Amino acid sequence: MTGMRDIPLPDEQATAALGRMLAAHLHAGDAVLLEGDLGAGKTTLARALLRALCGEATMEVPSPSYTLVQVYEAAGTEISHFDLWRLDGPDALHELGWDDACEGVVLVEWPDRLGALKPDGALHIHLLHDGAGGRIARLGGWDGRLASLEAPRTGEAS
Ligand SMILES: Nc1ncnc2c1ncn2[C@@H]1O[C@H](COP(=O)(O)OP(=O)(O)OP(=O)(O)O)[C@@H](O)[C@H]1O
């Protein structure tokens, strides 16, 4: 993928700060595809992003591991958080309301399960272990919008 950008995330606070920073750039119709092994930091990033989007720093953000999707609302826009690890195939995705969800903001964990439904122009985020206890966020896609992202600020209240 061209136009990739690596952001170092030395600790959990940096992962959360990246989530908050990204939230400020998201609009209806955006898709964020979040990849990473077990323990890579997907939940940390997703929770910070959703809390920032909804403007509620202490909001409960239940894992969609079993329900496959959790839906939030912010300023009239629906934000759908999918965890597709247990998805049974693309038909099940339609039953979960995928098509309507894409009119708002979608945040997808395990996006390889989307197959042909993977949205064009999505922001891809791959969280990788950096070998020193921290993580690296490898950002790609997003039709040139990556260049406009500022580096996340750490040290803010999460
Ligand atoms: N940049 C980071 N550096 C070091 N540790 C981090 C970083 N980001 C998150 N962590 C820590 O990594 C652990 C796993 O994070 P998290 O639960 O978010 O991962 P996950 O990808 O959702 O895992 P799973 O797929 O198993 O649910 C947590 O203890 C979290 O605090």
Side-chain angles (χ1 to χ4, degrees):
M1 189 184 301
T2 54
M4 288 201 296
R5 181 164 166 190
D6 279 0
I7 296 179
L9 303 173
D11 54 27
E12 180 185 353
Q13 286 70 30
T15 306
L18 175 61
R20 289 192 294 273
M21 185 273 279
L22 289 172
H25 292 266
L26 293 175
H27 309 289
D30 277 337
V32 179
L33 309 184
L34 190 52
E35 294 180 62
D37 294 338
L38 295 178
K42 301 180 297 298
T43 303
T44 306
L45 192 144
R47 288 201 164 128
L49 191 156
L50 289 163
R51 286 175 176 144
L53 269 180
C54 295
E56 295 186 45
T58 58
M59 182 179 79
E60 279 239 7
V61 181
S63 166
S65 292
Y66 290 95
T67 54
L68 303 192
V69 62
Q70 294 282 345
V71 182
Y72 303 84
E73 193 169 324
T77 298
E78 268 194 4
I79 303 136
S80 302
H81 179 199
F82 288 88
D83 181 333
L84 301 182
W85 176 251
R86 292 183 172 79
L87 188 75
D88 260 348
D91 287 349
L93 200 56
H94 291 301
E95 283 160 26
L96 285 171
W98 174 255
D99 305 279
D100 287 343
C102 287
E103 290 177 17
V105 174
V106 292
L107 172 60
V108 184
E109 299 186 45
W110 304 104
D112 52 314
R113 305 287 197 276
L114 289 169
L117 290 176
K118 205 172 269 190
D120 291 334
L123 169 62
H124 293 248
I125 305 175
H126 196 162
L127 293 172
L128 304 156
H129 289 263
D130 68 1
R135 311 286 190 268
I136 294 166
R138 181 156 293 164
L139 276 53
W142 227 20
D143 295 336
R145 284 164 70 190
L146 280 183
S148 66
L149 294 179
E150 71 271 28
R153 282 176 293 156
T154 53
E156 297 163 22
S158 48

